Amino acid sequence: MPDAPAGVAPLTVAVRVKPGSARTRVGGRFDGPHGPALIVAVTAPPVDGRATEAARKALADALGVRPAAVSLRTGAASRDKLFLVEKATPDLVGALHRLRDG
């Protein structure tokens, strides 16, 4: 299998999920166990993986990628999660930094 072209390697994104929020919002920084994390507030409750799924979709939307390009790597039962984003371009990395760091 050939290597991925330069600039389109997968990107691991640390996320701090805030379930049960009044509205869905992506932005801000939380210094968590996986390092600097992007805060993702979702309206879904932390039950049966609903908050995780809502966070995955909100992250995809905020980064401008299709939801299928974002998958959970670790943290299914935790507020601190690692998501994997396929084919991360420099534009996507820049968008992540703007969302997380202002």
Side-chain angles (χ1 to χ4, degrees):
M1 183 174 209
D3 291 333
V8 293
L11 174 68
T12 299
V13 180
V15 169
R16 172 69 171 201
V17 177
K18 292 189 172 185
S21 296
R23 64 184 178 95
T24 298
R25 187 181 71 77
V26 178
R29 178 184 173 127
F30 177 81
D31 292 320
H34 304 296
L38 177 63
I39 297 171
V40 178
V42 296
T43 58
V47 178
D48 298 328
R50 287 191 275 178
T52 298
E53 180 61 13
R56 184 183 71 82
K57 289 179 179 177
L59 178 61
D61 185 52
L63 294 176
V65 299
R66 56 190 173 77
V70 179
S71 60
L72 181 66
R73 186 169 155 206
T74 187
S78 172
R79 290 176 191 243
D80 297 301
K81 303 179 184 301
L82 290 176
F83 286 96
L84 190 66
V85 181
E86 295 176 4
K87 300 179 183 174
T89 63
D91 289 342
L92 188 137
V93 173
L96 171 62
H97 287 291
R98 283 189 299 279
L99 287 166
R100 187 185 64 206
D101 302 322

